[in-house]
Amino acid sequence: MTYAQETIRTFRTELAAVPAIADRIIQTVTAHPFKTEAACEFALQGLLRRVKTLRRCIGEAFRLIPPGRRKAVDSLCREKTEIYLQSYFINIAGSLDNLAWIWVHERGLKKVNGKPLSRSEVGFRKTQVAVRRSVPPSFASYLDSIEPWALAGENYRDALAHRIPLYIPPFSVLISNVEEHRRLEAASRLAQFRAEHEASADFEKQRGKLEFFQAVMMHSYSEGAIPMLFHAQMIADLKTIDELTRRLFAEL
C-alpha cells in the first residue's frame, strides 16, 4: 500500500490546491442570503470553522508524514499526525451534519405533526426519509452516488468517537513474514528474560529487517477495519465536501 512516484508528484499539486478549495467553500457559504438564523449559525459557526480546521489538518499531516514515506517515523511524529487525523475525520463528519442542518432550516422541514425533526432524522442517508424526500431528483441522485463514501467515513467516525481512536501503525510486515516476525519477537523476549542481551539485540535487528513503514491509519483489526491510505483520503474528502456544498447551495 504505497504510492507510485507519479502519484506522489500529483499530491504536490493537490496539496497546493487545498487553500483554494477551502476558500471556495467559504465564498459559497458567505455569499448565500440565509433565510433563518439557525441555518446561518450552522453555516458560519459550524461548517466554516470546520473547513478552516480541515485545511490546517491536511497541511500538517502532509508535512509531518509526507506521502510515500517508507522510513520509520518516531512515536512523537506519529502521535502528532494522529491528532490531526482524528480532528480531520471528526470534522468531515461534522461538516456533513452541518450541511444537512442548513438544508433542514432553510427549507423549513418538520415532522408531519409540525414538530422539529429529531437529530437522528437530520442527514443525507436514504434512511433519513424526511430530508431525502425534500431534495430534487438530480440532487438525490448525487447523494446516492456518495452514500458509500459517507457510510465508510461514518465507520471511522464512530470508531473514533465511541470505540478505538484512529492511529498510525508504527510498522507493517508482509503476510509471508508474519510468523517469522512473531518467532523473532518471542526469541528476543526469552533472551531478555535470560539476561542474554546481545542475543536479544540480534533478534530485534533481524525482526527490524522484516518491518517497513506505511502511511496508513487504522482503528480496530478485530472489527475488520481495512488500513486506509490517509493522504489520498483527506484530499478526496475535502473535495467531496466542496462539491456537496456547491450543489446544496445551488439548490437553495
Side-chain angles (χ1 to χ4, degrees), residues 40-51 91 94-95 98:
C40 186
E41 182 179 22
F42 275 114
L44 303 184
Q45 306 304 324
L47 179 62
L48 295 196
R49 286 185 178 182
R50 294 183 190 280
V51 167
N91 278 291
S95 295
N98 287 159

Side-chain angles (χ1 to χ4, degrees), residues 14 65 85 114 173 247:
E14 298 280 6
I65 302 181
L85 291 177
V173 178
R247 285 175 178 264

Side-chain angles (χ1 to χ4, degrees), residues 21-193:
I21 294 173
D23 287 344
R24 184 165 59 211
I25 297 173
I26 293 169
Q27 290 167 7
T28 298
V29 173
T30 54
H32 183 74
F34 289 97
K35 298 176 183 177
T36 66
E37 289 186 11
C40 186
E41 182 179 22
F42 275 114
L44 303 184
Q45 306 304 324
L47 179 62
L48 295 196
R49 286 185 178 182
R50 294 183 190 280
V51 167
K52 293 174 183 178
T53 298
L54 296 175
R55 176 173 58 192
R56 176 68 178 272
C57 288
I58 290 178
E60 290 301 307
F62 272 69
R63 180 184 67 82
L64 289 164
I65 302 181
R69 171 148 185 163
R70 298 284 287 172
K71 293 183 179 180
V73 179
D74 65 72
S75 60
L76 180 59
C77 181
R78 280 191 292 107
E79 288 169 4
K80 287 181 178 179
T81 310
E82 286 166 354
I83 290 170
Y84 286 112
L85 291 177
Q86 291 170 12
S87 176
Y88 186 85
F89 286 98
I90 205 72
N91 278 291
I92 284 289
S95 295
L96 277 172
D97 287 344
N98 287 159
L99 285 166
W101 279 107
I102 291 167
W103 180 268
V104 166
H105 285 295
E106 287 294 273
R107 285 299 174 97
L109 300 185
K110 296 182 182 298
K111 295 177 182 287
V112 176
N113 61 11
K115 293 184 178 181
L117 298 178
S118 66
R119 291 181 181 179
S120 62
E121 292 176 295
V122 177
F124 295 121
R125 292 174 60 176
K126 291 179 181 178
T127 55
Q128 290 160 317
V129 180
V131 175
R132 288 301 294 267
R133 284 178 177 170
S134 72
V135 303
S138 60
F139 191 34
S141 178
Y142 170 70
L143 294 175
D144 287 343
S145 74
I146 66 170
E147 182 146 337
W149 164 80
L151 290 174
E154 192 173 278
N155 177 31
Y156 276 81
R157 186 274 309 275
D158 288 351
L160 170 59
H162 306 295
R163 302 188 303 280
I164 306 298
L166 308 182
Y167 69 95
I168 301 170
F171 62 84
S172 297
V173 178
L174 293 175
I175 293 176
S176 58
N177 292 331
V178 168
E179 290 304 317
E180 177 64 8
H181 188 272
R182 289 173 177 167
R183 185 191 70 79
L184 291 168
E185 182 179 22
S188 175
R189 289 179 177 177
L190 180 60
Q192 287 179 340
F193 178 75

